[in-house]
Amino acid sequence: MSNNSLSDLTPVFFLQTFILELMHASEQQGQKHCEQLIEHIAKTAGCFFEETYRSDTNKSGMLDRESYTELILGLKNNIGGKFSLASSNQSCITVTNSSCPFGDRVTNFPELCGMTSSVFGGIAARNFGYAKVEIKKSIARNHGCCEVCVYTNREAGKDRPGIEYTDTTPVKEKQDIDNLQERIEESMQQIWRKQAKPPAKKHQPPAIVAKSPTMQKVLQSIEVVAPTLATVLIQGQTGVGKELIARAIHAMSERCRKPFIPINCGAIPESLLESALFGHEKGAFTGAIEVHQGYFERAEGGTLFLDEVDSLSPAAQTRLLRVIQEGELERVGGKQTLPVDLRIISATNQDLEEQVKQGLFRHDLYYRINVVRLSIPPLAERPEDLPYLVHLIIQRLNKKYNKQVQSVSREVMQKIRTYPWPGNVRELENILERSLLFTQSEEITDLDLELPTTVNVADEWKDIKESALVRVEQAYLKTALKAHRGDVNKIAESMGVTPRAVYGKLKKYAFNPAEYRSPSP
């Protein structure tokens, strides 16, 4: 506020600044209070706005759609937005805007979109009995405009993403996600407490951060998949936390009291891989002086996690296929068949479908390990998770190094939000660890990122922004092509653009929708 004269100050400007500062303070704590704060403010404000509108217009009883639209447009436009009605019918009211009431700073706090959702949804639910709010586009997420759909008919909103409101109670969906996350973490920590030995106090219990919609879908998939016997393939870039997801599946399964054995297939020399996995008999080869139980036998009754499964040799792939098909194995150099009872979870950062096409990975094994596929999004696609991850990592590093760091500065948080994180969560941990080691105060004010610390030239910033948008757009298009099996019309509908625009983007990135139209294996 120091850059503004007293004559520039208005109650609205003060309120906006106050909320942004409150958001920043809550964000630094990295806790659930941030979203709860937004929800509480929005619920209270929504009731106040509705009462004020009724008083000004002398309206009583339930608001009709015309009055509701007048109310939400009026309250937004009166505080600096540029909202207008895009469409309205008995099932859905869609409004758009080109200017956020919070200004450009909202890009640092995309969580504030939840305030619009709760205000619009709470008022609609009180008057129509039900509402689901879908924020299709958002200035906070660099879409250039906002597009908000308020579904007042449960059937119309059934298959749409968004938050549901009934009466004055915001979203059971959000509560369910919170409860699900608590159940998963509690299961994981129970196992951790049983397995952790007293000398290993420096190690921290596992925790999953899932504030972003994509990670919340992963949590929901874990709940569905974990109790089954299905083999699982986890795909994702290096450093996204594939082993953590595998541990969560194990913790939520009936095998949770049995061993969880992780193995990095790419870290074992090829000559030793089969022996490490399946064991060997005495005398099987030079140096085999006794019987050796492999990882499969040690995981009996539990879960075996095969990371970098794409690096398995052809011989190991053949043996693995037999274990999955027959539920039995033979040690290297052995003739006796041993029954095995375990669950296999595999992980890869490669495109296994492409490796199958190139003959580098057995197609029959691929289908066996790919009964259920979970795709973990890169950190660049999880902006909502960043402040929570930062807080969690700082807490763990404080215990590791006996530090008292509480948060990061606003400038550092802005760098974190801007940086693309090619190394994902692992890179974020390493960067924060280096910075925390040299921090003498309670706040990290400098981040050791290997990129220019200042971007003052407009062209440089434009290039960085466009590069980031291209990466996100490419990732989204690939996901949409797979989800809709190359149906451009459905992709266009999900993106809120014309099919012609989608074809233009596909041509730009040389994506062929025909390649995605075959049935999924």
Side-chain angles (χ1 to χ4, degrees), residues 431-470:
I431 293 295
L432 285 174
E433 185 167 10
R434 287 205 299 267
S435 299
L436 181 135
L437 281 171
F438 292 97
T439 298
Q440 301 301 319
S441 64
E442 293 186 351
E443 185 177 74
I444 296 176
T445 57
D446 184 44
L447 207 63
D448 184 20
L449 283 176
E450 296 181 3
L451 84 170
T453 55
T454 58
V455 185
N456 295 323
V457 181
D459 290 342
E460 291 183 56
W461 166 243
K462 183 180 179 181
D463 290 343
I464 290 175
K465 184 170 70 171
E466 288 182 355
S467 176
L469 288 174
V470 165

Side-chain angles (χ1 to χ4, degrees), residues 59-180:
K59 290 186 183 292
S60 59
M62 298 297 183
L63 298 178
D64 57 23
R65 280 168 173 72
E66 183 178 348
S67 298
Y68 169 76
T69 303
E70 181 182 39
L71 167 56
I72 62 174
L73 291 180
L75 69 89
K76 280 292 186 179
N77 292 337
N78 284 338
I79 60 172
K82 292 184 180 178
F83 272 79
S84 61
L85 177 66
S87 64
S88 178
N89 55 48
Q90 291 300 309
S91 300
C92 178
I93 298 167
T94 301
V95 296
T96 60
N97 85 322
S98 57
S99 175
C100 180
F102 288 97
D104 294 338
R105 288 173 295 175
V106 75
T107 55
N108 293 326
F109 298 100
E111 299 87 351
L112 283 172
C113 293
M115 189 170 291
T116 294
S117 177
S118 292
V119 170
F120 285 13
I123 297 174
R126 279 192 295 275
N127 289 278
F128 308 125
Y130 168 86
K132 174 181 275 191
V133 180
E134 177 188 7
I135 300 180
K136 284 188 173 181
K137 297 180 182 178
S138 167
I139 292 173
R141 292 179 173 82
N142 294 307
H143 293 150
C145 64
C146 291
E147 182 178 350
V148 183
C149 299
V150 183
Y151 299 93
T152 56
N153 180 287
R154 193 181 297 273
E155 281 302 310
K158 182 179 179 181
D159 297 323
R160 305 301 306 176
I163 297 179
E164 288 184 318
Y165 298 83
T166 54
D167 232 355
T168 57
T169 306
V171 188
K172 182 176 183 298
E173 176 184 331
K174 180 175 177 294
Q175 295 173 346
D176 289 345
I177 286 291
D178 289 342
N179 293 336
L180 171 59

Side-chain angles (χ1 to χ4, degrees), residues 446-503:
D446 184 44
L447 207 63
D448 184 20
L449 283 176
E450 296 181 3
L451 84 170
T453 55
T454 58
V455 185
N456 295 323
V457 181
D459 290 342
E460 291 183 56
W461 166 243
K462 183 180 179 181
D463 290 343
I464 290 175
K465 184 170 70 171
E466 288 182 355
S467 176
L469 288 174
V470 165
R471 285 194 299 271
V472 172
E473 192 169 56
Q474 285 180 322
Y476 181 85
L477 283 172
K478 283 185 179 180
T479 302
L481 283 166
K482 291 179 181 178
H484 298 296
R485 297 190 179 182
D487 189 325
V488 174
N489 290 328
K490 289 184 178 179
I491 296 171
E493 182 181 351
S494 70
M495 295 178 69
V497 298
T498 64
R500 182 178 179 181
V502 174
Y503 276 116

Side-chain angles (χ1 to χ4, degrees), residues 237 240 377-383 385-386 389 420-421 424-425 428:
Q237 296 176 4
V240 294
L379 193 52
E381 296 176 16
R382 303 166 49 189
D385 293 340
L386 279 170
L389 281 167
W421 299 109
N424 295 294
V425 179
L428 176 62

Side-chain angles (χ1 to χ4, degrees), residues 72-314:
I72 62 174
L73 291 180
L75 69 89
K76 280 292 186 179
N77 292 337
N78 284 338
I79 60 172
K82 292 184 180 178
F83 272 79
S84 61
L85 177 66
S87 64
S88 178
N89 55 48
Q90 291 300 309
S91 300
C92 178
I93 298 167
T94 301
V95 296
T96 60
N97 85 322
S98 57
S99 175
C100 180
F102 288 97
D104 294 338
R105 288 173 295 175
V106 75
T107 55
N108 293 326
F109 298 100
E111 299 87 351
L112 283 172
C113 293
M115 189 170 291
T116 294
S117 177
S118 292
V119 170
F120 285 13
I123 297 174
R126 279 192 295 275
N127 289 278
F128 308 125
Y130 168 86
K132 174 181 275 191
V133 180
E134 177 188 7
I135 300 180
K136 284 188 173 181
K137 297 180 182 178
S138 167
I139 292 173
R141 292 179 173 82
N142 294 307
H143 293 150
C145 64
C146 291
E147 182 178 350
V148 183
C149 299
V150 183
Y151 299 93
T152 56
N153 180 287
R154 193 181 297 273
E155 281 302 310
K158 182 179 179 181
D159 297 323
R160 305 301 306 176
I163 297 179
E164 288 184 318
Y165 298 83
T166 54
D167 232 355
T168 57
T169 306
V171 188
K172 182 176 183 298
E173 176 184 331
K174 180 175 177 294
Q175 295 173 346
D176 289 345
I177 286 291
D178 289 342
N179 293 336
L180 171 59
Q181 184 162 357
E182 288 176 6
R183 291 200 306 274
I184 291 176
E185 288 195 2
E186 178 58 29
S187 298
M188 294 172 71
Q189 291 188 23
Q190 282 181 2
I191 295 173
W192 179 82
R193 285 192 289 267
K194 290 177 183 178
Q195 294 180 348
K197 299 177 182 179
K201 290 182 179 179
K202 63 180 181 179
H203 299 299
Q204 303 297 321
I208 298 175
V209 172
K211 296 299 179 182
S212 60
T214 50
M215 281 303 295
Q216 288 178 356
K217 288 181 181 179
V218 172
L219 289 188
Q220 292 169 333
S221 298
I222 290 172
E223 184 181 38
V224 172
V225 171
T228 71
L229 300 175
T231 57
V232 180
L233 175 63
I234 304 175
Q235 289 187 309
Q237 296 176 4
T238 299
V240 294
K242 296 188 288 294
E243 182 175 334
L244 187 62
I245 299 302
R247 287 184 180 275
I249 295 172
H250 173 73
M252 294 290 285
S253 73
E254 295 180 357
R255 299 176 180 269
C256 62
R257 291 180 175 81
K258 296 294 184 177
F260 175 88
I261 305 294
I263 173 174
N264 187 328
C265 301
I268 303 175
E270 185 173 342
S271 59
L272 301 177
L273 185 58
E274 288 187 69
S275 173
L277 287 175
F278 308 106
H280 62 250
E281 296 289 352
K282 181 179 179 180
F285 49 82
T286 304
I289 59 176
E290 59 184 2
V291 173
H292 169 71
Q293 286 189 329
Y295 287 109
F296 274 84
E297 289 183 73
R298 280 181 263 172
E300 178 66 22
T303 302
L304 181 65
F305 175 58
L306 299 175
D307 198 6
E308 295 189 27
V309 68
D310 52 279
S311 64
L312 288 176
S313 66

